[in-house]
Amino acid sequence: MPTEWPPQVRALARATAEETGAARLSPIKKNREEIMTNRSVGAAFGAVLACASLPAAAQDLPDTMVWTSYDVGSAGYAEASAIADAFGKEYGTRVRIQPSGSGIGRLQPLLQGRADYAFLATEAFFVSEGVYDFATSDWGPHELRAVAGRPAGITLIAAGDAGIDTVADARGKRIAFVAGNPSVNVKCEAILAFGGLTLDDVEVITFPTYASAMSSMTRNESDATCTTPTTSQLYELAESPRGIYYAPLEPDNEEGWAKLLKVLPIMSPSEEDVAAGLAEGETAKMAAYRYPVVTTTPDKSADAVYAFIKALDETYDLYKDGTATMRRWSLDRAGRPAIDLPFHEGAIRYLREIGVWTEEDDAWNEKRLERMNALVEAWGSFKDGHSDLSDEDFAAAWMARRNEIVASLD
């Protein structure tokens, strides 16, 4: 509660005092009682009081917003569109979505202040670490914040006849990777680590496109790959003579999870009940990562982010049936770590208010902030000291330095 009335409340109280012949404003408590019992202005005062005394609420959404997302036709674009439509219906907010097929194309408008939020994939993690496309002198690690992120399942998915019952059984097998797609490939590297394997322990077969990699098992050009369990090509595999099998990532395998998270610390155990070839009532033990991740900058005001995530929560019933997976936007799932980035303080405020955020989540967030801050701090001096290197040598030198920093934080 504010220590004094905001200007619009004081003006209304003053007008009421003048009408009743009062000489001055009464103390706050007495003034509230007098005005609220004055039938001629009570309703109006109550409305102003409600708006003035509450923290940022969903009704405080701006009239217009700009979001970025994956291309039209992607799950990210479909989900962003469904949420934008719900915001428009409930609050009258107009959202313009800028689609882009590249992580850089989704990030630049956000970092340049031309977009309010970005619905990102794993490039959210990559840019915070300065890796892959962002291990260049033009990029490097950037500070960003997560608002929420819908869980998506992933594991090592094998042809049923490949003899892969556990991740460790993938040793020596043909694993399908996608050219130029670190978002998919690094997850597979992490999942292989769960079984004690590195890329040197398997035969990596690189395919030119995501679709060709996912369909390669059906053509018997690979034995396994890592992807989400609802990819269309997997339904074809499940109906093929080879069949389909999900190598389990058991949640109680602490050693396996420690190895996985050392490669990619943004995943957590998950049980999936919607997957190609999975019988009704069955579940598969997988890892959950977040896609899309609603991302913003750390200088976005806490009140604005509070209002956004409150609106995301309050409009859930309007968009939850927009796609088969949108029910996972419920904040008890989408508002908890692990996720690609530290959560924004405005999101944490709301998540704590509704009883979702825990002390354990606070500890995770602090550790994630420490890691990001260490990399951002190291970047400045590293960049200045290596400006004479070629792009390739610069990236290699930065990755070595980045690995040193990450190892020092363990």
Side-chain angles (χ1 to χ4, degrees):
M1 182 66 66
T3 56
E4 64 177 18
W5 296 120
Q8 66 267 41
V9 179
R10 293 178 62 84
L12 179 56
R14 186 175 295 110
T16 304
E18 290 171 353
E19 288 177 4
T20 58
R24 61 182 176 83
L25 290 173
S26 303
I28 288 175
K29 182 176 180 181
K30 182 181 178 183
N31 192 41
R32 181 193 297 177
E33 291 174 351
E34 289 176 353
I35 295 175
M36 290 300 289
T37 56
N38 186 322
R39 294 182 180 180
S40 64
V41 296
F45 182 83
V48 175
L49 176 62
C51 293
S53 61
L54 288 174
Q59 290 82 353
D60 295 326
L61 287 176
D63 292 335
T64 62
M65 283 192 282
V66 177
W67 303 346
T68 68
S69 80
Y70 255 80
D71 276 336
V72 175
S74 68
Y77 183 85
E79 295 182 23
S81 297
I83 294 169
D85 183 63
F87 281 18
K89 290 177 178 176
E90 189 72 9
Y91 310 115
T93 298
R94 299 184 301 279
V95 179
R96 180 162 60 91
I97 300 175
Q98 294 182 352
S100 175
S102 74
I104 290 175
R106 292 184 289 277
L107 279 161
Q108 279 182 328
L110 180 69
L111 294 172
Q112 293 171 356
R114 295 184 287 108
D116 301 286
Y117 299 93
F119 282 60
L120 301 179
T122 313
E123 68 267 13
F125 175 74
F126 293 160
V127 74
S128 75
E129 301 271 309
V131 297
Y132 300 110
D133 289 347
F134 308 101
T136 69
S137 58
D138 293 333
W139 278 94
H142 281 64
E143 279 202 76
L144 289 172
R145 296 291 187 272
V147 180
R150 188 260 295 168
I154 190 169
T155 191
L156 185 72
I157 301 171
D161 61 1
I164 300 176
D165 294 327
T166 68
V167 175
D169 294 334
R171 183 181 298 275
K173 302 294 185 178
R174 301 169 296 171
I175 310 300
F177 273 48
V178 184
N181 195 328
S183 180
V184 171
N185 298 341
V186 72
K187 294 184 184 77
C188 210
E189 184 178 349
I191 289 168
L192 290 171
F194 180 92
L197 305 177
T198 69
L199 298 185
D200 293 333
D201 297 316
V202 300
E203 182 182 356
V204 174
I205 309 292
T206 302
F207 294 86
T209 67
Y210 178 83
S212 62
M214 297 306 106
S215 61
S216 62
M217 291 180 289
T218 303
R219 300 191 304 269
N220 200 15
E221 295 174 356
S222 71
D223 298 309
T225 193
C226 303
T227 189
T228 55
T230 55
T231 299
S232 60
Q233 292 86 358
L234 297 183
Y235 289 90
E236 298 174 4
L237 175 64
E239 297 298 324
S240 76
R242 299 197 75 189
I244 192 169
Y245 182 77
Y246 297 98
L249 303 178
E250 300 92 344
D252 57 353
N253 185 339
E254 295 182 4
E255 181 181 357
W257 274 101
K259 292 176 179 177
L260 183 154
L261 294 174
K262 190 169 185 179
V263 177
L264 191 64
I266 65 172
M267 297 198 283
S268 57
S270 173
E271 287 206 3
E272 296 293 322
D273 57 2
V274 179
L278 198 65
E280 185 175 354
E282 292 184 357
T283 61
K285 294 178 174 60
M286 300 188 185
Y289 69 102
R290 304 307 175 94
Y291 172 71
V293 180
V294 182
T295 305
T296 193
T297 55
D299 58 359
K300 191 77 169 176
S301 80
D303 285 349
V305 175
Y306 179 101
F308 181 99
I309 194 171
K310 181 177 175 68
L312 188 70
D313 188 26
E314 292 183 342
T315 59
Y316 176 74
D317 286 340
L318 294 179
Y319 64 75
K320 66 182 180 182
D321 297 319
T323 71
T325 54
M326 288 202 73
R327 288 180 177 268
R328 298 180 184 184
W329 279 105
S330 59
L331 291 183
D332 59 331
R333 302 185 69 181
R336 302 279 313 279
I339 198 169
D340 302 60
L341 302 160
F343 278 83
H344 195 285
E345 60 176 319
I348 293 173
R349 186 209 303 172
Y350 182 73
L351 293 166
R352 185 175 283 124
E353 282 182 11
I354 63 173
V356 167
W357 194 261
T358 67
E359 291 184 3
E360 182 181 11
D361 297 335
D362 264 329
W364 182 93
N365 214 58
E366 287 301 317
K367 188 174 182 180
R368 186 68 186 87
L369 275 169
E370 179 188 5
R371 174 169 171 153
M372 177 183 289
N373 291 339
L375 291 170
V376 170
E377 182 179 352
W379 174 255
S381 59
F382 174 88
K383 181 180 177 181
D384 292 342
H386 296 80
S387 58
D388 58 336
L389 296 180
S390 67
D391 290 345
E392 185 176 346
D393 289 343
F394 182 95
W398 164 247
M399 288 302 293
R401 177 65 182 131
R402 176 253 184 192
N403 292 341
E404 290 175 356
I405 295 168
V406 170
S408 71
L409 297 172
D410 289 342

